[in-house]
Amino acid sequence: MNIDAGIALKHDAKAALVTPSHQYPLGSTMSATRRLHLLNWAQSSGAWIIEDDYDSEFRYESRPISSLQGMDANARVIYIGTFSKVLFPSVRIGYIVIPPDLVERFAAVRLAMDIFPPYLHQEVLADFMVAGHFGAHIRKMRQVYKERRSALIQCLQGEFGGLLQVHGAEAGMHVAVTLPSGYSDTEIAARAAEERLSLFPISQYYQRAPALQGFVLGFGSTPVRDMKKAVEKLHAVIAAAQCGRALAATAD
């Protein structure tokens, strides 16, 4: 996030929603300097920061940067997270760390919505954490995802060379890759779907042109042994698109 540009665009903003650990879709990590700048803005303007830290547990190249909530000395950060990513999607339990002066308001809204998640799931999860199993699970899955991420990047480099640029590989469970100009990621994604390969075009995340062309590639559910075959299929689809571009250029 460009903090100064955000302030200039909306100088009277009352809140900022950020994903500083691993921004979606390009995967950048907010620097400590920008985090401090954002915290200073919130304090000076009386605004709130909503920090969505949904996959901060999975960082591979360096130690995690402190969360905004952990750096916040003025109680301006509302920190939210979920267990759906770190355990499995059917665990529909999230959590929120709220500044003390907002607790009563949040509790009232929660009571008006649906009271609380099922007690049984919360009790089981609490026991799982107290017994040390949650920490062990995170350490194990960090290693599993690191191996899958490394396999994906190696396969991409082996198949594509410098054609694709990889972004945001330091953390999370996905990487972003961008294509040179002249490609259409939506057309390639449509071709890939016919080959039973699911791609999420990056251009669809832009509100206006110009938009980067590329894809969000999740690696969390793909075993290392299957990575090469999947990337080869991706390469074949993009190669076909490249051939189509060449033919169109020749026709012109």
Side-chain angles (χ1 to χ4, degrees):
M1 174 180 283
N2 185 325
I3 313 301
D4 289 327
I7 294 171
L9 184 67
K10 196 68 176 177
H11 63 87
D12 58 346
K14 298 303 180 185
L17 173 61
V18 294
T19 53
S21 292
H22 194 232
Q23 183 265 353
Y24 193 91
L26 294 181
S28 60
T29 298
M30 185 182 288
S31 67
T33 300
R34 291 196 179 194
R35 293 177 192 230
L36 289 171
H37 190 5
L38 189 61
L39 287 168
N40 289 336
W41 162 78
Q43 173 61 15
S44 62
S45 63
W48 299 100
I49 300 170
I50 304 168
E51 180 178 13
D52 185 356
D53 221 21
Y54 68 95
D55 63 0
S56 61
E57 296 83 359
F58 301 121
R59 189 163 191 83
Y60 311 111
E61 298 296 338
S62 61
R63 295 181 62 84
I65 300 174
S66 296
S67 65
L68 283 161
Q69 196 274 338
M71 301 169 68
D72 180 21
N74 300 297
R76 306 308 305 175
V77 178
I78 300 168
Y79 182 94
I80 60 177
T82 177
F83 292 101
S84 297
K85 290 282 188 181
V86 295
L87 289 175
F88 44 92
S90 58
V91 177
R92 307 309 299 171
I93 296 178
Y95 56 89
I96 184 167
V97 182
I98 309 166
D101 56 344
L102 293 182
V103 170
E104 289 188 9
R105 298 184 186 184
F106 272 74
V109 171
R110 180 77 222 211
L111 185 64
M113 290 172 60
D114 60 356
I115 306 180
F116 46 76
Y119 270 140
L120 177 60
H121 295 170
Q122 295 183 71
E123 291 285 356
V124 171
L125 180 56
D127 287 347
F128 188 72
M129 297 175 77
V130 169
H133 301 310
F134 182 72
H137 168 76
I138 293 296
R139 290 190 294 271
K140 175 184 176 181
M141 295 313 298
R142 187 182 293 126
Q143 184 60 35
V144 169
Y145 292 145
K146 182 178 181 178
E147 292 173 356
R148 294 178 180 180
R149 178 209 63 151
S150 297
L152 173 59
I153 293 173
Q154 288 174 7
C155 290
L156 288 171
Q157 292 173 342
E159 287 290 327
F160 291 96
L163 180 67
L164 295 182
Q165 296 297 313
V166 179
H167 307 267
E170 297 81 10
M173 289 178 281
H174 79 272
V175 299
V177 295
T178 51
L179 293 158
S181 60
Y183 286 89
S184 169
D185 56 6
T186 54
E187 291 180 8
I188 293 172
R191 291 188 182 208
E194 297 174 358
E195 302 297 328
R196 301 180 64 83
L197 185 65
S198 180
L199 300 175
F200 296 91
I202 286 177
S203 63
Q204 295 185 351
Y205 294 98
Y206 284 78
Q207 287 187 311
R208 60 183 67 88
L212 286 176
Q213 302 293 309
F215 308 100
V216 175
L217 304 178
F219 54 80
S221 62
T222 305
V224 171
R225 65 179 181 275
D226 297 334
M227 203 67 74
K228 189 173 189 301
K229 183 178 180 180
V231 174
E232 287 174 348
K233 187 181 290 186
L234 173 63
H235 183 257
V237 172
I238 294 180
Q242 190 174 30
C243 181
R245 289 174 62 222
L247 289 173
T250 301
D252 291 342

